[in-house]
Amino acid sequence: MKKNRGNHSFGKGLICGALLCVMVMVLGGCGASSLLIRLGLAGLNSGSSSSGLSESQLEEKMAELQSYIDNYYLFDYDEEDVEESIYKGMMDGLGDPYTCYYTAEEYASFLESSSGSYSGIGATLQQDYSTGLITVVSTFEGSPAEAAGLQADDILYMVEGEEVTGVDLSLVVVDLKGEEGTDVNISIVRGSEVIEMTITRASIEVPTVEYEMLEDSIGYIAITEFDDVTDEQFASALEDLASQGMESLIIDLRDNGGGLVDVTCTILDSLLPEGLIVYTEDKYGNREEEYSDAENYFDGEMVILVNGNTASASEIFAGAIQDYGVGTLIGTQTYGKGIVQSLILLSDGSAIKITVSRYYTPSGNNIHEVGITPDIVLEADAESEEDNQLQRAIEVLK
């Protein structure tokens, strides 16, 4: 498979490689009275910024704020908290829900979320970026979340007494993780009821792939997210199903919010004929492409199950399958996240996640804020005990 990848993230995950530091924020040992001024000038070139704000204007404003703090602010404060808040505010001011700043501690914890194992509560969460609401998609079998009674569709309202609605999901996940054996207190909304829970963290092995052989030699593989371990788990599942005589395949991407693009492309490389998988374009028109080499090509019939929570890297997956015509998409309109984030490591160990490009399916479609329309549109029947979308997939393959 051709590799031409940057450190891009198509969902909650990230690619860790040679990360470029594009913003240097090294602080000296000055006194508190100049803290805001020093922080405000960090990252600016001498003279003026690209926005037209001059260095003198910024310095004057920051000095004014600092004077009011020094003269009137009642309580003690932590300089480091102020510093981090300024950086976070700078990124928040861009108005992009996918762009944010991570402290060094948050960055280190965030890296674990794509490794396939961590210490936490054991639940899959998803955020609606239009409302900021964070919802439980599922809990892992045998996990602390399951033992505490957390359920799918619960809305995560507070973590340790702080409301999390509108907070970047990656940062919320960082707060939910922690040392094994420690407790985290959360509040969830279920229907009209607010429920308080204390969950004891444990070591979690993320089950990103589940599979089984169905009737009529139909293999079934569900992918919950694209983490570091997912491509190997998928390859093992595919090999095992093939050894059992699999002739056709259902891949379930419902409620899969995305993840690592290189993992996604590796899996697609085992399914697609030779050709383009996905390409991206940045603000300068620079284009990066990912290709399948067709050394391993699944030649059976496929169905891909999708829904409104199928997002980002999962849409890359579904879009490529649909564009090549090698599988049938069944379900409902996908989420519609067609932009790419890069994780950039800063010199002090902190990092930023920033939107850098748009991605396009092989036929040139950018599905941002649009989504992908399935070949067979079918709403899930919540009243039935039977999975009607899965049953329709089986019927199509028969």
Side-chain angles (χ1 to χ4, degrees), residues 344-357:
I344 301 173
L345 178 64
L346 306 182
S347 60
D348 61 354
S350 60
I352 58 172
K353 184 179 68 174
I354 188 168
T355 300
V356 295
S357 60

Side-chain angles (χ1 to χ4, degrees), residues 35-263:
L35 173 67
L36 295 181
I37 296 175
R38 290 185 287 110
L39 297 180
L41 297 179
L44 280 181
N45 294 322
S46 178
S48 63
S49 70
S50 60
S51 66
L53 181 63
S54 70
E55 185 174 323
S56 61
Q57 286 176 307
L58 181 57
E59 183 174 358
E60 181 180 345
K61 183 67 171 283
M62 300 298 278
E64 184 178 12
L65 291 172
Q66 185 71 64
S67 69
Y68 283 120
I69 292 173
D70 291 341
N71 290 322
Y72 299 111
Y73 185 62
L74 179 61
F75 303 107
D76 294 333
Y77 66 90
D78 190 309
E79 286 190 18
E80 185 175 346
D81 290 342
V82 176
E83 171 189 343
E84 303 296 357
S85 295
I86 291 175
Y87 300 151
K88 289 179 183 292
M90 185 175 184
M91 305 310 290
D92 289 344
L94 297 175
D96 176 15
Y98 303 104
T99 293
C100 62
Y101 169 84
Y102 299 105
T103 66
E105 292 76 17
E106 289 169 344
Y107 169 68
S109 184
F110 183 34
L111 292 180
E112 292 181 351
S113 66
S114 65
S115 67
S117 62
Y118 61 92
S119 178
I121 67 171
T124 300
L125 305 176
Q126 196 155 60
Q127 185 168 41
D128 184 332
Y129 282 95
S130 62
T131 64
L133 291 176
I134 297 174
T135 305
V136 177
V137 175
S138 62
T139 59
F140 302 157
E141 185 176 354
S143 69
E146 182 185 57
L150 203 62
Q151 298 177 12
D153 298 325
D154 285 345
I155 296 173
L156 184 62
Y157 175 49
M158 302 184 84
V159 176
E160 295 296 351
E162 298 290 333
E163 186 174 353
V164 297
T165 302
V167 179
D168 183 88
L169 177 58
S170 301
L171 297 178
V172 177
V173 170
V174 167
D175 290 337
L176 292 172
K177 293 189 297 182
E179 186 176 349
E180 185 174 2
T182 60
D183 291 340
V184 59
N185 300 301
I186 68 171
S187 301
I188 59 102
V189 177
R190 182 180 298 161
S192 59
E193 185 181 7
V194 177
I195 302 173
E196 310 289 336
M197 292 183 177
T198 297
I199 304 178
T200 302
R201 301 179 178 99
S203 180
I204 304 296
E205 295 292 328
V206 182
T208 62
V209 172
E210 297 178 358
Y211 72 97
E212 63 177 310
M213 181 66 80
L214 305 178
E215 58 189 72
D216 297 312
S217 301
I218 298 173
Y220 171 84
I221 302 178
I223 306 175
T224 58
E225 56 192 61
F226 293 98
D227 285 343
D228 282 334
V229 297
T230 306
D231 51 352
E232 292 185 3
Q233 291 179 0
F234 182 88
S236 296
L238 197 66
E239 182 179 2
D240 189 14
L241 289 171
S243 70
Q244 297 180 50
M246 174 182 61
E247 297 177 0
S248 55
L249 176 62
I250 298 170
I251 299 177
D252 193 344
L253 298 181
R254 292 174 295 181
D255 298 323
N256 184 323
L260 303 177
V261 64
D262 63 337
V263 171

Side-chain angles (χ1 to χ4, degrees), residues 317-336:
F317 194 112
I321 295 292
Q322 188 178 61
D323 280 5
Y324 275 96
V326 296
T328 302
L329 269 58
I330 296 178
T332 55
Q333 193 83 1
T334 64
Y335 184 82

